[in-house]
Amino acid sequence: MSFTNHTFSDSSVFTPYLSLDLERFQANVQRLNTRLADHKVVLRPHLKTVKSVPAARVLAPEDNTPVTVSTLREAEVFAAEGYREILYAVGIAPQKLTRVCHLNADAPIVTVILDSQAQAEAVIAASEEFKAVIPVMIEVDCDGHRGGLRADDPAVITIASSLVHAGIPFKGVMLHAGESYGLAVPEKLAAAAEQERATAVQAAENIRAAGIDCPVVSVGSTPTAFFAENLTGVTEVRAGVFSFFDLVMAGVGVCKPSDIALSVVTTVIGHRKDKGWIMTDSGWMALSRDRGTAKQQQDQGYGMVCNMAGEPYTDLLVADVSQEHGILAIRSGSDQPLPDLPVGTQLRVLPNHACATAAQHDQYRVESTIDGFAEIWPRIRGW
């Protein structure tokens, strides 16, 4: 990250705050769009990372752009802003179907996912009660990471058949290769992407062989989106964190730290020279407790520390946090000296997990390195 024209160090802006490099964000989005266009596959961006209407317009400029959400609150906000093709990519809880029906009262805007007959029966019942159309996709498991049915599980056909018989629009299958986040070798990442693709296509072919239409074959994770070598049979790719990137993705090998568009700006508030610490005003309330890099080859603590121009201090990490305090220290085993950072110095912390760090904040301070401006983009909160 390089803020060559403007460092945006502004003592009138209280820290900690969430900073978004606009040009870096735009470049990240363009990078994946270009890659998937080469494969002739649609990108259905996951808006759980950005959770912001202005940011969503960068990822999905048109109302008919298919998007993914992780909460019904996101679905409600984005639907109110005009989006008309929303996938709620969390297994549907029966109690939430009332809200889905309200969203779909005039048109089938929100598609839900499920992996059980009980959920299917709840969808059928809600559709009948509220006279609403609720499109459905079946979640398929490709790597044991989370929910979903095996591609060859007879329940896939049984569930799809029951939905179609009841007049529920069955749209297809969706998968998430979540185990790819724990990889870091290109060949293994490519293999994970192929496993995701092959599993999705197998499930879709099994459904079609049973005489049921399966138009959508949806796969998605940021690592597999970038390492997939073959997307034959896939109709769309879902990914979210690619838009900001983070230290976990850098550890996986999907990006470089210099690609990370998100940072938390913090201020030095003290020193403990006896312990080799620099104290800041950004604790876990600003950075999150996510330690996603802890199992990677290089542990980044609670975040990598950079100057306001985005240049990392060698081996300087957020080593520990309490609620509102950050403790900066040199990486264990390094002989690098602690930098001289006087009280009042502003710094940037690159996040381990962009989604988790962003979730701690109500808004982005969006900063343009080209035009030299900063503006505020509000974030969506709640479920």
Side-chain angles (χ1 to χ4, degrees), residues 256-317:
K256 301 175 183 177
S258 58
D259 295 317
I260 299 173
L262 200 69
S263 63
V264 172
V265 177
T266 186
T267 302
V268 174
I269 59 172
H271 303 84
R272 284 295 305 271
K273 293 183 179 180
D274 59 320
K275 292 180 176 289
W277 293 350
I278 298 171
M279 312 298 295
T280 71
D281 63 354
S282 294
W284 58 260
M285 284 290 287
L287 301 175
S288 87
R289 282 196 178 278
D290 195 289
R291 291 281 285 106
T293 63
K295 294 182 179 180
Q296 293 186 327
Q297 185 174 4
Q298 188 167 59
D299 185 357
Q300 303 289 8
Y302 288 89
M304 180 185 293
V305 183
C306 305
N307 62 22
M308 286 299 289
E311 301 159 342
Y313 292 96
T314 304
D315 289 335
L316 184 63
L317 306 177

Side-chain angles (χ1 to χ4, degrees), residues 89-223:
V90 176
I92 190 64
Q95 297 88 338
K96 295 181 181 179
L97 285 166
T98 301
R99 289 170 71 184
V100 174
C101 288
H102 286 316
L103 283 164
N104 290 4
D106 298 321
I109 293 172
V110 176
T111 297
V112 303
I113 71 168
L114 50 80
D115 62 1
S116 72
Q117 187 63 42
Q119 290 168 302
E121 291 171 1
V123 169
I124 293 168
S127 298
E128 294 175 349
E129 179 180 355
F130 293 96
K131 309 303 181 194
V133 178
I134 308 175
V136 170
M137 295 182 72
I138 292 177
E139 183 175 10
V140 176
D141 173 34
C142 66
D143 59 10
H145 179 72
R146 208 156 55 194
L149 297 166
R150 297 189 321 275
D152 60 355
D153 191 326
V156 173
I157 307 301
T158 301
I159 293 169
S161 298
S162 68
L163 292 168
V164 171
H165 181 74
I168 303 298
F170 175 67
K171 296 185 70 173
V173 296
M174 60 86 68
L175 295 82
H176 171 62
E179 289 298 290
S180 65
Y181 288 79
L183 303 175
V185 178
E187 292 78 11
K188 291 184 177 180
L189 286 159
E194 175 55 22
Q195 178 176 309
E196 180 184 44
R197 184 205 69 83
T199 304
V201 171
Q202 179 192 352
E205 289 177 347
N206 291 347
I207 292 168
R208 292 167 186 150
I212 301 168
D213 191 22
C214 185
V216 180
V217 181
S218 180
V219 301
S221 79
T222 288

Side-chain angles (χ1 to χ4, degrees), residues 17-26 29 49-60 78 243-244 261-262 358 361-368 373-381:
Y17 66 82
L18 190 63
S19 171
L20 177 59
D21 179 331
L22 179 60
E23 284 76 33
R24 192 72 61 190
F25 174 37
Q26 292 170 329
V29 172
T49 300
V50 299
K51 285 184 184 276
S52 167
V53 172
R57 288 299 178 187
V58 175
L59 284 155
F78 292 126
S243 58
F244 291 165
L262 200 69
H361 298 262
D362 293 320
Q363 62 188 26
Y364 303 100
R365 179 177 165 87
V366 183
E367 301 169 339
S368 168
F373 73 84
E375 63 183 27
I376 301 301
W377 287 359
R379 282 179 46 83
I380 299 164
R381 305 296 293 269

